Amino acid sequence: MMDVHSLFRLDGRVALVTGSSQGLGKMLSRGLASAGARVVLNGRDPKKLERAVEEFLSEGYDACGYAFDITKRHEIDTAVERIESEIGPIDILVNNAGIQRRAPLHEVTDEIWDEVLATNLTGAFLVTRKVARGMIQRQRGKVIFICSLMSELGRPTTGPYAAAKGGVRMLMGSMCVEWAQYNIQVNGIGPGYFITEMTKSLAEDPSFNDWLINRTPARRWGDPKELVGALLLLASDAGNFINGQIIYVDGGILAAL
């Protein structure tokens, strides 16, 4: 008889989650840890990262933290080498780190454009390139991108973010095409609107909140915990033949006009 539960277990695997000292990244890391993974938290602020690690350890999870900036190649290379030397080979990479800078496209400065693309697209590529080299040698790996509804759709004032997330969708597909032969699965999760530090101001805006509730068939915001199921599917052996896909967890937004 098939042991269905064991398909979703991550015991003995090392998972690196970028941008995981707060928000969705922290919740996703907790989900991986609850399935048995040894989680490597990441952020740019060492003190915030240390607090997150202490929180995980107090909850009984196996966690550690490495502070590095995903937009800086030398920091990425040094950190990944340290992680794999001190903790073990990275089996699961979750590219979660991201930023949003809102402005009409005709008012977007070069600095805003460069910052958003460098973090949300180029940074994700740089981290994945470094980690994937080891995965290719080991003939095993899971790479998961946190995409967005804006990998498919646009909204006013989100042009740089949408361009970056659309680029992530195509980058993810290209990685699948090249690396599936090495038993590496590259997929994405596309969250709808979830209440986090990044979206708190939107949730507190009555006009936006009303628009979202009416636009979403489920008639509510998402709870970050509702992303964990899709994450465990893609990070575990249960998803070994899923490749190049984005699973949208959006309450039905993309299904509705």
Side-chain angles (χ1 to χ4, degrees):
M1 181 179 296
M2 180 181 295
D3 182 1
V4 175
H5 295 290
S6 68
L7 287 174
F8 294 88
R9 294 295 305 175
L10 301 174
D11 302 282
R13 301 185 192 182
V14 174
L16 168 61
V17 184
T18 64
S20 50
S21 60
Q22 64 181 6
L24 288 182
K26 191 174 179 182
M27 177 57 67
L28 295 172
S29 298
R30 185 174 278 109
L32 294 170
S34 70
R38 186 171 195 187
V39 176
V40 180
L41 304 179
N42 158 258
R44 291 181 296 182
D45 184 335
K47 291 184 178 179
K48 182 183 290 186
L49 185 61
E50 183 179 354
R51 289 194 296 270
V53 171
E54 290 175 352
E55 181 181 330
F56 273 55
L57 294 175
S58 71
E59 295 169 357
Y61 296 128
D62 190 350
C64 58
Y66 285 77
F68 62 92
D69 186 335
I70 68 163
T71 68
K72 297 179 178 177
R73 291 172 176 82
H74 68 280
E75 290 191 20
I76 293 167
D77 291 348
T78 298
V80 170
E81 289 167 10
R82 283 188 58 210
I83 292 166
E84 298 211 320
S85 172
E86 298 168 2
I87 307 301
I90 296 169
D91 303 292
I92 302 161
L93 169 63
V94 181
N95 286 301
N96 169 76
I99 60 171
Q100 173 68 288
R101 300 287 184 264
R102 299 178 186 278
L105 274 171
H106 64 283
E107 296 178 4
V108 168
T109 64
D110 292 351
E111 291 76 18
I112 288 175
W113 178 267
D114 291 344
E115 182 186 19
V116 172
L117 270 290
T119 302
N120 295 342
L121 178 57
T122 304
F125 166 71
L126 295 175
V127 176
T128 305
R129 181 181 64 181
K130 178 64 176 177
V131 173
R133 289 168 177 162
M135 290 180 170
I136 290 170
Q137 290 179 349
R138 296 186 295 272
Q139 301 278 293
R140 178 184 177 88
K142 304 280 187 177
V143 178
I144 301 162
F145 288 86
I146 302 306
C147 299
S148 169
L149 294 177
M150 290 170 203
S151 296
E152 306 288 345
L153 304 172
R155 271 188 57 77
T157 75
T158 66
Y161 184 83
K165 290 298 186 178
V168 165
R169 177 167 60 89
M170 297 308 298
L171 174 63
M172 185 195 78
S174 297
M175 289 175 172
C176 165
V177 169
E178 293 195 16
W179 299 341
Q181 62 182 312
Y182 304 116
N183 190 31
I184 298 172
Q185 291 81 52
V186 185
N187 293 291
I189 297 172
Y193 284 90
F194 288 76
I195 297 180
T196 66
E197 288 92 338
M198 185 182 290
T199 61
K200 184 179 178 182
S201 62
L202 296 176
E204 293 173 348
D205 179 342
S207 62
F208 186 90
N209 184 69
D210 290 345
W211 171 84
L212 177 66
I213 298 303
N214 290 323
R215 177 69 177 82
T216 307
R219 296 294 184 265
R220 64 178 177 85
W221 289 77
D223 183 325
K225 291 183 290 187
E226 293 174 302
L227 291 170
V228 172
L231 175 65
L232 294 183
L233 170 63
L234 298 178
S236 69
D237 289 345
N240 280 352
F241 205 57
I242 302 173
N243 220 336
Q245 306 300 312
I246 300 177
I247 298 177
Y248 286 98
V249 185
D250 65 356
I253 289 179
L254 284 179
L257 289 174

